[in-house]
Amino acid sequence: MAVLTAPRKAPKYVLASALAVIFLLPFYIMLRNALMTRQQVSSPDWSWLPDPLSWVNFGDLFADASVPMAHSLWNSFLVAIVTAPVGTLFGSMAGYALARINVPGRRAVFTYVLVTLMIPQSVTFVPTFVVVGSMGGVNTEWGIIAPNLFSAFTVILFRNFYLRFPAEIEEAGRLDGLGYLGVYRRLVLPNSGSMIASLGALMFIESWNAFLWPLVIGQDPSSWTAQIALSTFLTAQSVNLPALFAGALVTIAPLVAMFLVAQRFIVRGIAASGLKE
Amino acid sequence: MTALLEAPAVPVVAKKRRRRRDWRAIGAFVVLTGPVVLGLGLFKYVAIAWSFLLSFNDARGTITLGHWTGFDNYAFLLGDDAFLTSLSTIAIFTVFIVPITFVASLGLAVLVNSIKRGKAFFRTIFLIPAAVSYVVAALVWKMALFNGLPSGVANVLGGLFGADPVPWLSETSPPVYWVAVVTLRLWLQVGLYMILFLAGLQAISPSLYEAGELDGTTKWQAFRYITLPQLRNTSVAVLLLILIAAFQAFDEFYNLFGTGLSGTATAPVKPPLVYLYDSALGDQNYGVGSAGAFLLTVLIVVITLLQGRFVGFGKKD
């Protein structure tokens, strides 16, 4: 059967492979340009491979005094490494309470969270700037981080996850004399690993790649994230192109690595977060 | 057994019989929901309320209230050609990006789903661009693919077919910059939506296709009368997500074309968020910036509801 249909399947693989080449082309261009000299990059002739490879561009990237690339990468790391776990934990806590602790006013709290979903996040940058600015958060790392720790979307997804959570685990804990918080901390949280991993990975990607908010709140170079630094590089007058592409590579490397390693969780997270109920 | 029934862990059972307030449950609920309730309160509710008041104020260079001007900011925006142009810009962008992304991601999902060997490999390759930020993609598009030089990738490829080099991002008649803008977002997003469609495809029962095969349906008929209807909920969700994402476009426009802030005031295209950014952060006019945020929010909500009505969102089936 498989042998008989094999020739008919071939166009499918040809098409998929052709598309794969197109999807990978921008990555190849990034790598190629990052390894060229400035002369080669601006040469009118096309070349597939730079010869010789100029690795100095990576050094130039960090040596450029006008753009603090190393510090910006550190800021990005700081923002993502705080936002992802803390934001996921807050989401899990609230999601669990909304799914499993039946108290008066629960519906009201749920609606309160749900309503914020309907307001598109990026049109709230002016209001949020007004509040964070008045609290002295301009040009600070906490100003970049704080508003993104509270995600209604994460709360709703965790709530749906906990609605299907096996009740036996909680009952066993309660019989052992644990209170609500004890059950959550000792039993529920340790059993939410896959959901935490998938939403945590998505939050990490989102905060690492965020542009509009860090641009708005981090105007001073000392609070730039890597995205802002690259963007500044991009719009600068005389740009060192190969170093710029080296910067792009350095900026995407951690995420592509994470994607390849944690793909299972990320795919699950996308599937879960895309299809809200 | 009675201990189990008494246990507040089973909320549905506990609800009717217990009128007495369980203060321990309330305490735990407050502790667990506290951070999110306070955070959303401050950064969403307080922020939006304050900004709403600011939108009726002359708030130039200040974020404090006190110079009530009524609807002046709204009137200014609705009379400002730049704002109205930004709305038509985003409308054009949406008209291109929504159907193209929808069809492309559905097509990719069907293709990947039908592949027997190497499915994970192709899925990974189509998804990997989703890890890339708009800034980096804009950099590659602006400085390499569509840089307008004869050595730019688009022009090299065009040259193979004998086409003359095109200054992609600055050419406004015809407005070929849309090719760059649309392909950039397509490359970044299509893998995400493909994943959603793949999840939907895998939920379709194979027995439907087997039944169809018995009736002698063609592949196209199976797609048209089985796959598409079964993917209805996924399709509506994906359409909505693409649409909302399109209306919030900022990163690629800012980085491809610059803004008033970066000195290139002649940017050929400026979507509403770039306009808002320029008026709030560039001109420090927080009143106009706030008013614009509210006009845009209303617009997004209205269009979302309209689209919902159009494609039948909200129907439970």
Side-chain angles (χ1 to χ4, degrees):
Chain A
M1 179 68 179
V3 180
L4 278 177
T5 55
R8 277 182 43 217
K9 293 268 156 69
K12 222 177 265 176
Y13 284 93
V14 173
L15 178 62
S17 306
L19 288 171
V21 169
I22 294 174
F23 272 72
L24 292 177
L25 183 70
F27 291 105
Y28 160 74
I29 298 283
M30 248 183 269
L31 189 63
R32 165 187 171 269
N33 287 9
L35 296 174
M36 280 182 156
T37 63
R38 294 181 78 159
Q39 288 77 16
Q40 286 169 334
V41 147
S42 49
S43 149
D45 298 318
W46 174 260
S47 61
W48 280 101
L49 272 177
D51 178 37
L53 303 177
S54 31
W55 296 98
V56 290
N57 299 320
F58 289 89
D60 289 354
L61 171 69
F62 293 105
D64 191 325
S66 61
V67 179
M69 197 64 206
H71 187 68
S72 302
L73 277 166
W74 166 249
N75 277 340
S76 285
F77 177 73
L78 194 71
V79 167
I81 206 70
V82 173
T83 307
V86 177
T88 313
L89 177 69
F90 284 170
S92 156
M93 285 163 54
Y96 175 74
L98 288 171
R100 294 295 207 165
I101 304 181
N102 194 10
V103 297
R106 181 170 71 161
R107 277 202 73 83
V109 174
F110 182 60
T111 310
Y112 171 91
V113 173
L114 204 60
V115 165
T116 64
L117 259 191
M118 321 221 168
I119 305 146
Q121 212 160 30
S122 54
V123 294
T124 57
F125 80 88
V126 179
T128 314
F129 178 80
V130 168
V131 161
V132 176
S134 73
M135 290 161 63
V138 176
N139 291 328
T140 65
E141 278 84 1
W142 74 258
I144 301 176
I145 294 171
N148 294 316
L149 293 177
F150 315 100
S151 156
F153 219 48
T154 313
V155 174
I156 307 294
L157 289 173
F158 267 111
R159 176 180 170 270
N160 290 347
F161 172 74
Y162 287 126
L163 283 176
R164 298 189 302 265
F165 202 70
E168 296 81 20
I169 297 178
E170 292 158 87
E171 283 157 18
R174 204 135 296 140
L175 285 178
D176 284 346
L178 286 176
Y180 288 95
L181 296 177
V183 166
Y184 172 73
R185 198 170 64 83
R186 303 269 197 89
L187 298 172
V188 173
L189 201 53
N191 281 297
S192 316
S194 65
M195 191 69 180
I196 287 176
S198 74
L199 290 187
L202 280 179
M203 251 192 189
F204 191 94
I205 294 171
E206 212 170 280
S207 40
W208 181 273
N209 282 341
F211 181 66
L212 177 55
W213 179 247
L215 178 73
V216 165
I217 205 73
Q219 296 156 5
D220 187 82
S222 66
S223 56
W224 281 354
T225 61
Q227 309 296 336
I228 310 298
L230 273 185
S231 171
T232 311
F233 233 140
L234 184 61
T235 45
Q237 284 304 316
S238 70
V239 58
N240 179 350
L241 266 184
L244 185 56
F245 281 96
L249 273 187
V250 170
T251 311
I252 64 169
L255 283 199
V256 170
M258 189 171 127
F259 237 73
L260 294 175
V261 173
Q263 207 195 115
R264 198 158 55 95
F265 295 114
I266 294 169
V267 166
R268 197 181 302 162
I270 294 167
S273 60
L275 289 177
K276 55 189 172 113
E277 285 170 28
Chain B
M1 191 59 198
T2 44
L4 267 185
L5 283 179
E6 293 280 341
V10 195
V12 195
V13 180
K15 195 179 174 185
K16 278 212 166 156
R17 287 192 297 134
R18 291 171 152 259
R19 280 286 150 91
R20 198 169 53 83
R21 297 236 156 124
D22 183 346
W23 288 107
R24 291 194 343 158
I26 293 174
F29 187 85
V30 169
V31 169
L32 289 175
T33 55
V36 166
V37 167
L38 290 178
L40 290 179
L42 185 60
F43 295 118
K44 292 278 195 269
Y45 285 93
V46 170
I48 286 166
W50 191 343
S51 192
F52 187 64
L53 292 174
L54 268 186
S55 74
F56 297 105
N57 277 257
D58 179 14
R60 266 177 270 193
T62 174
I63 49 178
T64 52
L65 304 166
H67 299 276
W68 186 263
T69 53
F71 284 95
D72 281 7
N73 291 328
Y74 290 91
F76 168 79
L77 280 168
L78 294 174
D80 186 8
D81 278 347
F83 183 69
L84 300 177
T85 309
S86 78
L87 291 180
S88 65
T89 296
I90 206 68
I92 295 170
F93 179 58
T94 307
V95 164
F96 281 120
I97 198 76
V98 174
I100 293 177
T101 312
F102 183 85
V103 171
S105 52
L106 178 59
L108 268 189
V110 170
L111 178 68
V112 169
N113 196 48
S114 71
I115 284 176
K116 292 281 183 307
R117 249 177 252 171
K119 187 183 279 194
F121 171 77
F122 285 111
R123 191 193 62 194
T124 306
I125 288 187
F126 298 143
L127 184 59
I128 278 292
V132 178
S133 70
Y134 277 95
V135 178
V136 169
L139 191 165
V140 176
W141 257 244
K142 182 179 181 176
M143 297 301 192
L145 299 185
F146 292 99
N147 60 10
L149 301 173
S151 61
V153 177
N155 285 335
V156 170
L157 290 176
L160 297 179
F161 300 98
D164 289 329
V166 177
W168 290 95
L169 291 177
S170 52
E171 177 65 67
T172 51
S173 61
V176 286
Y177 51 79
W178 285 120
V179 176
V181 179
V182 169
T183 50
L184 187 158
R185 183 169 275 244
L186 193 65
W187 180 69
L188 278 185
Q189 288 205 324
V190 81
L192 295 176
Y193 300 118
M194 173 197 73
I195 294 293
L196 300 187
F197 276 125
L198 269 175
L201 283 174
Q202 273 149 18
I204 301 177
S205 159
S207 63
L208 289 175
Y209 292 105
E210 284 158 19
E213 242 165 71
L214 287 180
D215 291 342
T217 51
T218 64
K219 282 207 159 159
W220 169 249
Q221 285 171 327
F223 177 76
R224 172 72 187 79
Y225 295 106
I226 301 172
T227 311
L228 274 187
Q230 290 286 317
L231 284 179
R232 207 184 121 146
N233 287 342
T234 311
S235 303
V236 171
V238 168
L239 267 181
L240 222 56
L241 291 170
I242 302 175
L243 186 82
I244 291 171
F247 260 80
Q248 305 197 36
F250 176 82
D251 301 13
E252 72 262 53
F253 286 93
Y254 178 96
N255 286 295
L256 286 176
F257 303 110
T259 80
L261 283 189
S262 57
T264 47
T266 50
V269 274
K270 217 184 216 192
L273 282 192
V274 176
Y275 178 93
L276 281 190
Y277 176 82
D278 282 348
S279 39
L281 275 297
D283 308 340
Q284 308 268 305
N285 196 336
Y286 300 104
V288 165
S290 297
F294 284 103
L295 284 180
L296 206 57
T297 307
V298 169
L299 199 67
I300 292 175
V301 169
V302 166
I303 288 178
T304 309
L305 292 177
L306 275 183
Q307 188 208 359
R309 182 154 283 235
F310 185 62
V311 295
F313 184 60
K315 274 187 204 162
K316 285 272 175 192
D317 65 336

